[in-house]
Amino acid sequence: MRGDIKAKDKYQLQNRLRRIEGQVRGLQRMVEEEAYCVDILTQISSIVSASEKVALILLKDHVEHCVREAIEDGEQANEKVAELSVAVERFLRV
């Protein structure tokens, strides 16, 4: 099933992903130039935080759009709630 990301979220996600892409390129340069390990770890932490923010935006969008719609329609409500539960578990690494 195709997800329909809200336009404002899509724009925000694309911008955040471009920034993450730039951070990863910077991280690659740091490793290549043998930067100080703590500085590399700090950059990795920043990338992880930025990625988690992207995931939260997607999760919120999914709940507000896909899950709500399924519950309102009554069709696939149980399936969408189960899917959401799995997605949250995956995100939280439980």
Side-chain angles (χ1 to χ4, degrees), residues 20-86:
I20 292 168
E21 181 181 28
Q23 289 175 306
V24 171
R25 281 194 304 272
L27 180 61
Q28 290 170 330
R29 278 191 300 278
M30 291 175 77
V31 170
E32 177 65 30
E33 296 168 1
E34 298 180 13
Y36 187 58
C37 294
V38 173
D39 293 341
I40 294 171
L41 290 169
T42 300
Q43 183 68 13
I44 290 170
S45 176
S46 176
I47 292 167
V48 168
S49 293
S51 298
E52 288 173 345
K53 182 62 179 173
V54 167
L56 283 174
I57 293 168
L58 282 169
L59 188 58
K60 183 176 181 259
D61 193 77
H62 181 65
V63 169
E64 291 176 353
H65 180 263
C66 299
V67 176
R68 177 184 286 155
E69 188 176 287
I71 291 171
E72 287 173 353
D73 291 347
E75 295 180 27
Q76 300 178 335
N78 291 335
E79 179 183 321
K80 287 295 176 186
V81 169
E83 179 184 77
L84 175 61
S85 179
V86 169

